[in-house]
Amino acid sequence: MIYLDHAATAPPSRTVLEAQWPYLTQVFANPSSAHGPGRAARAGLDAALAEIAGVLGCRPGEVVLTSGGTEADDLALLGVAAAAPRGRHVVTTAVEHPAVLETARALGAGALGEPFRVDEVGVDRDGVVDLAALAAVLTPATTVCSVMLANNEVGAVQPVREVAALCRAVGVPLHVDAVQAPGQLGVRLDDLGADLLSVSAHKLGGPRGAGALAVRGAVPLAPVIHGGGQQRGRRSGTVDVPAAVGTATALRLAEEGRAAGAPRLAALRDRLVAGVLDAVPGAVLTGPAVDARLADGSPARLPGHASFVFPGLGGEAVLLELEERGVVCSSGSACAADSDDASHVLLAMGLGDDAARTAVRLTLGPTTTPEEVEDVVRVLPEAVAAAGGAALLPA
Ligand code: PLP
């Protein structure tokens, strides 16, 4: 099997599993217990928090462990909105992951009492946020602004530093959903100018159902999960120490591998995109071109991300034919895989409703090889033909 669905979840890392093993077996005590075994678990937890903070450029006390990216995103928006609602106004973009978008909409629908006003700022054809439109809706009374670092469906990298400058100018806390970024882009809060930042372990070879929200100490945050007051009261519940250790190890490995890994992924991605467009001329790359750059000169597309639409074909039909030929990938987003809805990201980018149902996303990771990329390029025309797309192939 050729696994090109790293953006959905990454294969488990052996190093991560080995780091977790002692905490799954011998060092099992509750890290809140005062006895020796409890203190041993607490030491492992503290080391994990320090490791996560090291990668995210914050203090260990600013890390809140969560059940993954979704909970981190929910906590960021709901937590800030409950603690400091100010003018009850949320600013986000039209291409966020549902973990952010639906939470913002829940606030808009009155999840915390009087409804919040929600602005979902539009994007250009590449999926990049319209900074002028964002600047126009931000006000000093805005509760929170949430902009993702990299889009899961089309790989567009957002100009987060510029968004941070706009937020800073009006004193609005900025949340960054960085779930797709570690190992491919830097994710330090201080570097990005973020006040809150979400990560998820399973995208990095870490445990499923584990992640973290980094929150600057000065940002007021109310808990979403109430209980025994663990994690300084910001997220109650007995802390899952193996998950913390796994998250920390996965994040550290991703960051350590980034300098060599990101260019390697970009080279594989470039070959994949060129090969696909050559073999299937009717396919259209969605999101930024592979050589596009942001204003600061950094790449505008995630290195490991390729996404296409196949006009006239169902994305699902292409996926099925690819799987018949040993290649697994997904339509725009794994999260929407069991829905027939057109992608909200592609619609926001201005694609028509029909085209927005034909997305195929091929995402690469550290285990992807050049041979696998060549195999995909070879079998794709057959898969497209079998899915009924002969018209997209060379004449
Ligand atoms: N945010 C983005 C950009 C994602 O891609 C995902 C997962 O697909 C999430 C949030 C949710 O993360 P999790 O699966 O850990 O809940």
Side-chain angles (χ1 to χ4, degrees):
M1 175 187 72
I2 298 178
Y3 185 79
L4 289 189
D5 204 12
H6 288 256
T9 201
S13 149
R14 189 177 185 99
T15 311
V16 170
L17 292 169
E18 285 174 357
Q20 289 183 282
W21 183 247
Y23 295 94
L24 288 162
T25 50
Q26 298 103 321
V27 193
F28 59 82
N30 189 321
S32 298
S33 294
H35 48 59
R39 289 199 305 275
R42 161 63 62 180
L45 173 59
D46 287 345
L49 290 171
E51 204 165 25
I52 295 170
V55 175
L56 302 184
C58 62
R59 288 184 283 111
E62 295 177 319
V63 175
V64 183
L65 298 164
T66 66
S67 65
T70 299
E71 188 192 322
D73 287 345
D74 273 59
L75 176 58
L77 270 63
L78 296 174
V80 173
R86 310 213 285 184
R88 302 185 94 78
H89 177 219
V90 176
V91 174
T92 188
T93 82
V95 296
E96 297 300 308
H97 187 276
V100 165
L101 216 41
E102 293 302 325
T103 305
R105 290 174 184 169
L107 286 168
L112 290 181
E114 190 193 328
F116 283 61
R117 194 158 53 80
V118 180
D119 276 305
E120 298 175 12
V121 178
V123 297
D124 67 13
R125 221 56 231 152
D126 286 345
V128 179
V129 64
D130 180 339
L131 284 171
L134 189 114
V137 294
L138 272 177
T139 81
T142 301
T143 311
V144 63
C145 174
S146 182
V147 175
M148 69 201 323
L149 182 49
N151 184 268
N152 48 307
E153 294 194 33
V154 298
V157 178
Q158 300 296 349
V160 163
R161 289 182 193 81
E162 289 169 61
V163 173
L166 294 173
C167 288
R168 216 167 22 245
V170 286
V172 170
L174 171 64
H175 167 248
V176 173
D177 175 344
V179 165
Q180 288 293 334
Q184 304 196 46
L185 305 172
V187 288
R188 293 181 64 90
L189 273 93
D190 46 6
D191 177 36
L192 295 168
D195 299 293
L196 307 103
L197 182 139
S198 306
V199 290
S200 173
H202 74 96
K203 308 288 185 186
L204 316 169
R208 285 101 244 286
L213 177 70
V215 196
R216 281 293 181 217
V219 177
L221 189 85
V224 170
I225 296 179
H226 301 266
Q230 291 91 344
Q231 302 205 58
R232 300 167 187 231
R234 293 170 304 186
R235 202 276 193 179
S236 285
T238 301
V239 177
D240 184 341
V241 180
V245 170
T247 300
T249 309
L251 260 179
R252 176 175 55 75
L253 292 174
E255 181 56 21
E256 285 172 359
R258 181 163 68 90
R264 178 182 170 281
L265 281 179
L268 289 172
R269 186 268 327 262
D270 290 358
R271 167 60 196 141
L272 177 64
V273 170
V276 168
L277 295 178
D278 194 41
V280 186
V284 179
L285 180 75
T286 53
V290 295
D291 54 0
R293 293 280 179 274
L294 294 177
D296 66 3
S298 59
R301 184 172 191 114
L302 273 181
H305 195 292
S307 55
F308 304 90
V309 288
F310 291 89
L313 285 190
E316 295 295 327
V318 179
L319 296 190
L320 288 175
E321 294 299 339
L322 277 172
E323 185 162 10
E324 289 278 303
R325 290 159 182 80
V327 179
V328 294
C329 54
S330 58
S331 57
S333 141
C335 314
D338 43 9
S339 99
D340 286 335
D341 291 350
S343 151
H344 72 284
V345 175
L346 296 179
L347 291 176
M349 288 162 57
L351 273 78
D353 198 68
D354 284 345
R357 291 174 203 276
T358 73
V360 173
R361 176 182 74 175
L362 303 161
T363 46
L364 293 63
T367 53
T368 307
T369 65
E371 294 72 29
E372 289 180 327
V373 169
E374 293 311 321
D375 282 348
V376 174
V377 169
R378 186 173 48 74
V379 302
L380 184 69
E382 288 169 34
V384 168
L392 303 176
L393 298 174

